[in-house]
Amino acid sequence: MLFLRSSDPGFEKAFARIVRERRESDEDVARSVSRILGEVRSRGDEALAEFTARFDGHSLSQDEDWRIGADDCRAAYDALSRDLRDALELAADRIRAYHEAQVPADRDYRDEAGVRLGARWRPVDAAGLYVPGGRAAYPSSLLMNAIPARAAGVERIVVATPTPRGATNTLVLAAAHIAGIDEIWRIGGAQAIAALAYGTKRIAPVDVVTGPGNAWVAEAKRQLYGVVGIDMVAGPSEILVIADRDNDPEWIAADLMSQAEHDPSSQSILITDCEIFADTVADRVGVELGMLETERTARDSWNDHGIIILVEDLAEAPALANALAAEHVELAVADPEPMLDAIRHAGSVFLGRHTPEAIGDYVAGPNHVLPTGRRARFASGLSVLDFMKRTSFIEADEAALKAIGPAAIALAEAEGLPAHARSISARIGL
Amino acid sequence: MLFLRSSDPGFEKAFARIVRERRESDEDVARSVSRILGEVRSRGDEALAEFTARFDGHSLSQDEDWRIGADDCRAAYDALSRDLRDALELAADRIRAYHEAQVPADRDYRDEAGVRLGARWRPVDAAGLYVPGGRAAYPSSLLMNAIPARAAGVERIVVATPTPRGATNTLVLAAAHIAGIDEIWRIGGAQAIAALAYGTKRIAPVDVVTGPGNAWVAEAKRQLYGVVGIDMVAGPSEILVIADRDNDPEWIAADLMSQAEHDPSSQSILITDCEIFADTVADRVGVELGMLETERTARDSWNDHGIIILVEDLAEAPALANALAAEHVELAVADPEPMLDAIRHAGSVFLGRHTPEAIGDYVAGPNHVLPTGRRARFASGLSVLDFMKRTSFIEADEAALKAIGPAAIALAEAEGLPAHARSISARIGL
């Protein structure tokens, strides 16, 4: 863990390095991903089966090896404990309510020149959701990706998920049942993203690929951007907690660990204005770590990437937060509103002492798929907009074309595009 | 020009090939772009000056060689003919009116569980607009990129534009004056995109890069996606005209040529249900070509990529249009409304006989930067949203956390994330 004081002479330099040091895509990963994409593109299902045998130890020989059926998902759902079933349903309901209200309104109006203008939002035809296997097989992520796609009106929603040595994740299957997904392929990694984007004999291509994944999955999405739409290039998870001394150090330590336990490359940062509080939180992190089954991951993350920044005044915090543009920002202060107003770049903000970030991971309603690695400067969390696109339209009659056409003709001629001018002048007799 | 009949037995196969054959990024271009990006990233302005000397024949030795000043833009504006000035102002006013209404509303509400939820849209801090030099130096493109950025509230808007052998384009400068741009760098190509994304000693980095460009520019944007936000990966321009026999063949031929004259790789497609009309349009294209200064480009485009598809019934057209997902779609029929309803994938649609696509390039108001190469399946035209991002927020008090927290705890524990559960249970005494 790195401890910085904003009053130290070297602070600006040290902080600038933290901002700069966001890990980028690895050249070796890029090359091997590019090879995998090429193989799946040219050899389709055959390449998919080879990679799945090699990376997941799962054989795709029989037809039934390829997919997980709707029956399996229903059975997984039925087998859940009452508590878990209710928890998943509550999460789904709240995510649905939040995202359904995101569907944008169409426009259609006639302006004073008599030109009809507008735009229509339509869902993509097909969306592919990646659900990681292994450590990061989260039913909550399936809901966070599938429900916005459904709210957008996407007709075909496909899940790709690796099943290492054939093992499926009951909770993920139950979540698929709740989200009404009935096309689930047992494939993972870059090869799964390639299959979704290019399509194979078995798997029809999709238009948008979303969902979290490891570095290979993220790089595959990056390379296929443009062939399909993607939600974003995701990196390691991050939390920035801005907390005054009046917080319970135990709560804040738990919040920092809630990111740290995700992955050794996750990053937890605390900004506070009280050195005693900072020290107490640091001590309490040690206690929390000892309580966690995820101790090893959380400890590695905290040791390698954890940061505590001691500021003279919390008024310094928003500028630091804007430079970090973190995925999650907690404002654990009595009156978070002015600070929220001052924060321009963040994936999601958690206000006040009783809003731990984890509540947003599961049941609050807003999406937990958020921009990482300073991308909140320009990117937003996943929403129904990622599954929709807008078509503008224009309608002129002869009078309207006569009103605005001459200006277009003048500009087309000035730009050296005479056929553009012709297409207007022919219609209005100029 | 390729002539296809939908009733021919080979049609489906031939049409599928057209849909598939969208040109993709070239591996040689990708490699040399990657090299250029690396050079600018590590050597900054020095590398920029070398590439600008080599590719643009423009020397960046003195301070004043680097930038075009606001005075030059004002002078260019003042020197315009009255007609052209009015035309640019009309275009700017109409583009502004259309885009200002796109600014999305924030959300902020408390739901029945007592949780406050919402989202705020904020502009990016800085946007970089690429304006090509040479053949495609269009003042209209500058307006189409700068005005949405301005409407989004972006404070710093930067233009990068190559000035081959030092030559500037008066119209582009005048448009910059209208759009209020005062930071213009005389750089182009992949090196300009790298400078905008990474920043150099002279040029502060931006958060989003938009604007058209050649294959190098498009590939540079693709490779830098994630380091900065980008509008889209743009390919050659396209038009699909759906026209019945009651159109004036001259108008339709002019429309087809208005795309063809952009670039030899542009594509113009006509779908009609009348063979005589198809033949007349094809003949008329020959006449139109002879009238154009852009004849050579337009002829190459039409010969190599032009297509006429004769259908039995125009009711077949929407399915073909959806498969093509073209950048521009004209519906030159008496009642375009039902066809508009049936078209799910298109960048922009032009309704009726008096709405040539060129009106949308200049003065209609909607953006002319639109998805090409079938990307309208998942992408939208440029808008204020490309210059903004959304931060969600969540606020719970103790009662609200008690209401929804237990479900989150159950899910966190089931996902094997105990610190997530701890951060909630510590607060509600579970």
Side-chain angles (χ1 to χ4, degrees):
Chain A
M1 187 265 291
L2 180 68
F3 189 94
L4 298 174
R5 271 186 182 76
S6 71
S7 56
D8 279 354
F11 175 73
E12 230 167 285
K13 222 167 163 182
F15 183 74
R17 194 168 53 242
I18 292 165
V19 169
R20 213 168 46 233
E21 259 178 18
R22 298 293 183 168
R23 290 126 292 186
E24 282 178 52
S25 57
D26 180 314
E27 294 232 343
D28 288 344
V29 172
R31 261 191 301 273
S32 78
V33 163
S34 166
R35 235 182 348 254
I36 293 170
L37 304 187
E39 290 287 317
V40 173
R41 189 177 193 188
S42 60
R43 297 193 299 120
D45 293 324
E46 194 185 305
L48 264 187
E50 287 170 17
F51 289 125
T52 303
R54 192 192 313 168
F55 296 131
D56 302 338
H58 175 64
S59 157
L60 297 170
S61 39
Q62 310 297 109
D63 272 359
E64 61 268 28
D65 299 333
W66 285 80
R67 287 179 65 163
I68 297 170
D71 289 356
D72 294 328
C73 296
R74 148 132 255 147
Y77 175 81
D78 289 340
L80 286 183
S81 73
R82 176 69 183 270
D83 271 9
L84 264 182
R85 198 190 306 175
D86 289 351
L88 274 177
E89 293 281 11
L90 178 76
D93 289 345
R94 294 185 56 89
I95 297 166
R96 194 175 298 116
Y98 186 83
H99 287 83
E100 279 178 350
Q102 282 178 337
V103 177
D106 290 346
R107 301 170 68 187
D108 191 344
Y109 64 100
R110 199 171 299 273
D111 70 12
E112 66 285 357
V115 185
R116 180 179 165 212
L117 298 172
R120 295 183 172 196
W121 288 89
R122 290 288 174 272
V124 300
D125 286 346
L129 316 182
Y130 188 80
V131 178
R135 194 200 316 244
Y138 299 143
S140 56
S141 286
L142 190 143
L143 297 180
M144 289 288 184
N145 281 272
I147 292 172
R150 190 69 75 202
V154 178
E155 285 196 8
R156 178 172 165 247
I157 304 179
V158 187
V159 163
T161 189
T163 53
R165 285 160 304 284
T168 56
N169 179 311
T170 309
L171 275 169
V172 167
L173 268 51
H177 174 73
I178 290 173
I181 310 289
D182 55 10
E183 185 181 341
I184 306 179
W185 297 92
R186 302 169 75 126
I187 52 173
Q191 60 273 20
I193 308 297
L196 293 171
Y198 293 128
T200 69
K201 206 154 206 178
R202 284 180 188 268
I203 305 174
V206 303
D207 302 298
V208 167
V209 175
T210 70
N214 60 20
W216 276 260
V217 169
E219 176 63 18
K221 285 166 71 180
R222 207 187 63 80
Q223 291 189 17
L224 288 168
Y225 170 65
V227 176
V228 283
I230 67 171
D231 52 343
M232 65 186 70
V233 179
S237 198
E238 318 144 351
I239 192 170
L240 168 63
V241 180
I242 300 174
D244 60 26
R245 76 181 73 192
D246 297 334
N247 286 280
D248 186 330
E250 185 180 327
W251 300 5
I252 301 302
D255 296 354
L256 294 169
M257 290 307 98
S258 76
Q259 284 305 303
E261 73 176 344
H262 268 299
D263 195 277
S265 66
S266 300
Q267 182 165 54
S268 303
I269 304 179
L270 168 65
I271 297 180
T272 184
D273 58 350
C274 170
E275 183 149 13
I276 295 170
F277 179 76
D279 290 342
T280 319
V281 170
D283 287 347
R284 183 70 213 181
V285 161
V287 179
E288 292 289 321
L289 280 169
M291 297 164 63
L292 302 174
E293 289 160 63
T294 50
E295 175 181 356
R296 192 163 164 181
T297 302
R299 191 181 291 280
D300 285 351
S301 158
W302 181 245
N303 286 345
D304 294 349
H305 305 294
I307 304 175
I308 295 180
I309 300 176
L310 182 66
V311 293
E312 306 267 283
D313 190 318
L314 280 183
E316 298 168 41
L320 300 176
N322 286 328
L324 290 166
E327 184 186 13
H328 306 106
V329 179
E330 283 186 13
L331 305 180
V333 295
D335 177 17
E337 211 61 30
M339 219 179 259
L340 174 64
D341 290 340
I343 287 181
R344 294 195 312 281
H345 310 309
S348 191
V349 182
F350 303 81
L351 303 174
R353 307 197 194 283
H354 282 87
T355 317
E357 184 277 327
I359 204 74
D361 283 337
Y362 296 107
V363 294
N367 214 284
H368 79 196
V369 181
L370 297 165
T372 57
R374 297 218 305 132
R375 296 190 186 88
R377 288 175 297 129
F378 55 81
S380 310
L382 193 69
S383 77
V384 299
L385 296 182
D386 291 290
F387 300 100
M388 304 187 81
K389 68 270 174 15
R390 193 186 53 241
T391 298
S392 56
F393 60 87
I394 302 168
E395 181 170 22
D397 57 16
E398 197 181 347
L401 193 63
K402 278 185 170 155
I404 65 169
I409 292 171
L411 291 169
E413 284 172 350
E415 288 189 352
L417 295 172
H420 283 64
R422 273 284 299 155
S423 71
I424 300 167
S425 60
R427 284 171 166 91
I428 57 175
L430 276 182
Chain B
M1 188 265 289
L2 180 69
F3 189 94
L4 297 174
R5 271 186 182 76
S6 71
S7 56
D8 279 354
F11 175 74
E12 230 167 285
K13 222 166 160 181
F15 184 73
R17 195 169 50 243
I18 292 164
V19 169
R20 214 168 44 235
E21 259 179 17
R22 300 291 183 167
R23 291 126 294 186
E24 282 178 52
S25 58
D26 180 312
E27 294 232 342
D28 288 344
V29 172
R31 260 191 302 272
S32 76
V33 163
S34 166
R35 234 182 348 254
I36 292 170
L37 304 188
E39 290 287 316
V40 173
R41 189 177 192 188
S42 59
R43 297 194 299 120
D45 292 325
E46 192 187 305
L48 265 185
E50 287 170 19
F51 289 124
T52 302
R54 192 192 313 168
F55 296 131
D56 301 337
H58 175 64
S59 157
L60 296 172
S61 39
Q62 310 297 108
D63 271 0
E64 61 267 30
D65 298 334
W66 284 80
R67 287 180 66 163
I68 296 171
D71 288 356
D72 294 329
C73 296
R74 148 131 256 148
Y77 176 81
D78 289 340
L80 286 184
S81 73
R82 176 69 183 269
D83 271 9
L84 264 182
R85 197 190 308 176
D86 289 351
L88 274 179
E89 293 281 10
L90 177 77
D93 289 345
R94 294 185 56 89
I95 297 166
R96 195 175 298 117
Y98 186 84
H99 287 81
E100 279 178 349
Q102 282 178 337
V103 178
D106 291 345
R107 300 170 69 189
D108 191 344
Y109 64 100
R110 199 171 299 272
D111 70 13
E112 65 286 355
V115 185
R116 180 179 165 211
L117 298 172
R120 295 182 174 196
W121 288 90
R122 292 286 174 274
V124 300
D125 287 345
L129 316 182
Y130 189 80
V131 177
R135 191 201 319 242
Y138 299 143
S140 57
S141 285
L142 189 142
L143 297 180
M144 289 288 184
N145 281 272
I147 291 173
R150 190 70 73 201
V154 179
E155 286 196 6
R156 177 171 166 247
I157 304 178
V158 187
V159 162
T161 188
T163 53
R165 286 160 304 282
T168 57
N169 179 311
T170 309
L171 275 169
V172 167
L173 267 51
H177 174 75
I178 290 173
I181 310 288
D182 54 11
E183 185 180 340
I184 306 179
W185 298 93
R186 301 170 76 127
I187 52 173
Q191 61 274 20
I193 308 297
L196 293 172
Y198 293 128
T200 68
K201 206 155 205 177
R202 284 180 189 268
I203 306 175
V206 302
D207 302 299
V208 166
V209 175
T210 70
N214 61 18
W216 276 259
V217 169
E219 176 62 18
K221 286 166 68 179
R222 208 186 64 78
Q223 291 188 18
L224 288 168
Y225 170 65
V227 177
V228 284
I230 66 171
D231 52 342
M232 64 184 71
V233 179
S237 199
E238 318 145 351
I239 192 169
L240 168 63
V241 180
I242 300 174
D244 61 24
R245 78 182 69 195
D246 297 334
N247 285 283
D248 185 330
E250 185 180 328
W251 299 5
I252 302 301
D255 296 353
L256 295 169
M257 289 307 99
S258 75
Q259 284 305 302
E261 74 176 343
H262 268 299
D263 194 278
S265 65
S266 300
Q267 182 165 54
S268 303
I269 303 179
L270 169 65
I271 297 180
T272 184
D273 59 350
C274 170
E275 183 149 11
I276 295 169
F277 179 75
D279 290 343
T280 319
V281 170
D283 288 347
R284 183 70 213 181
V285 161
V287 179
E288 292 289 323
L289 279 170
M291 297 164 64
L292 301 175
E293 290 159 62
T294 50
E295 175 180 357
R296 192 159 165 183
T297 302
R299 191 180 291 280
D300 285 351
S301 159
W302 182 245
N303 286 347
D304 295 348
H305 305 293
I307 304 175
I308 295 181
I309 301 175
L310 182 67
V311 293
E312 305 266 282
D313 190 316
L314 280 184
E316 298 168 40
L320 300 177
N322 285 329
L324 291 166
E327 183 186 11
H328 306 105
V329 179
E330 282 186 14
L331 304 181
V333 296
D335 177 17
E337 211 61 30
M339 219 178 259
L340 174 64
D341 290 340
I343 287 181
R344 293 195 313 282
H345 310 307
S348 192
V349 182
F350 304 82
L351 303 175
R353 305 196 196 285
H354 282 86
T355 317
E357 183 278 325
I359 204 74
D361 284 337
Y362 296 108
V363 294
N367 214 284
H368 78 195
V369 181
L370 297 165
T372 57
R374 296 220 304 132
R375 295 188 187 89
R377 287 175 298 129
F378 56 81
S380 310
L382 192 70
S383 78
V384 298
L385 296 182
D386 291 290
F387 300 100
M388 305 186 81
K389 70 271 176 8
R390 192 185 54 240
T391 298
S392 56
F393 60 86
I394 302 167
E395 181 170 23
D397 56 17
E398 197 181 347
L401 193 62
K402 278 184 170 156
I404 65 170
I409 293 172
L411 292 168
E413 284 173 349
E415 287 189 354
L417 295 172
H420 283 65
R422 273 283 300 153
S423 71
I424 300 167
S425 60
R427 284 171 166 91
I428 57 175
L430 275 181

